[in-house]
Amino acid sequence: CVQITCSSSVCHQVCANCTMECARGVERCDQMCLGGRCDMKCQAKHCKRQCFKGRCNYIGHSESKTSVLQSGTLAVLIVVVRLLNS
């Protein structure tokens, strides 16, 4: 889906060049951006965002921390985890 407006209790979007909007009252809202331009507007209780390639934009507030992972950050996290496990 290129654009999702979520009013269910839980919504997931895996996409490239897409938009996701989650209203208040939504329990969990997850977006995984695979490339292009991805926008997320989240007022849900729990918002999670993974951004692997492209440009990602986030607007909103969540009761939990929002996860916005750029590809460089993901690479650093993988290296840190490998070092901790060695």
Side-chain angles (χ1 to χ4, degrees):
C1 282
V2 175
Q3 183 170 352
I4 292 178
T5 301
C6 177
S7 56
S8 302
S9 60
V10 177
C11 291
H12 301 280
Q13 183 183 44
V14 178
C15 60
N17 293 314
C18 58
T19 301
M20 182 177 210
E21 185 170 342
C22 295
R24 292 186 193 275
V26 173
E27 184 66 29
R28 183 176 182 89
C29 195
D30 297 332
Q31 183 186 58
M32 181 184 293
C33 179
L34 303 177
R37 180 179 171 90
C38 301
D39 295 310
M40 181 180 195
K41 182 176 182 183
C42 188
Q43 300 295 324
K45 290 182 182 177
H46 303 281
C47 301
K48 183 178 179 184
R49 178 91 173 287
Q50 293 176 303
C51 185
F52 295 106
K53 292 184 179 179
R55 291 182 30 204
C56 294
N57 183 31
Y58 174 81
I59 299 170
H61 171 75
S62 174
E63 292 176 13
S64 67
K65 290 183 180 178
T66 302
S67 301
V68 179
L69 299 177
Q70 300 291 345
S71 57
T73 304
L74 181 62
V76 169
L77 288 173
I78 291 170
V79 170
V80 169
V81 169
R82 286 182 180 165
L83 288 173
L84 291 173
N85 289 329
S86 2

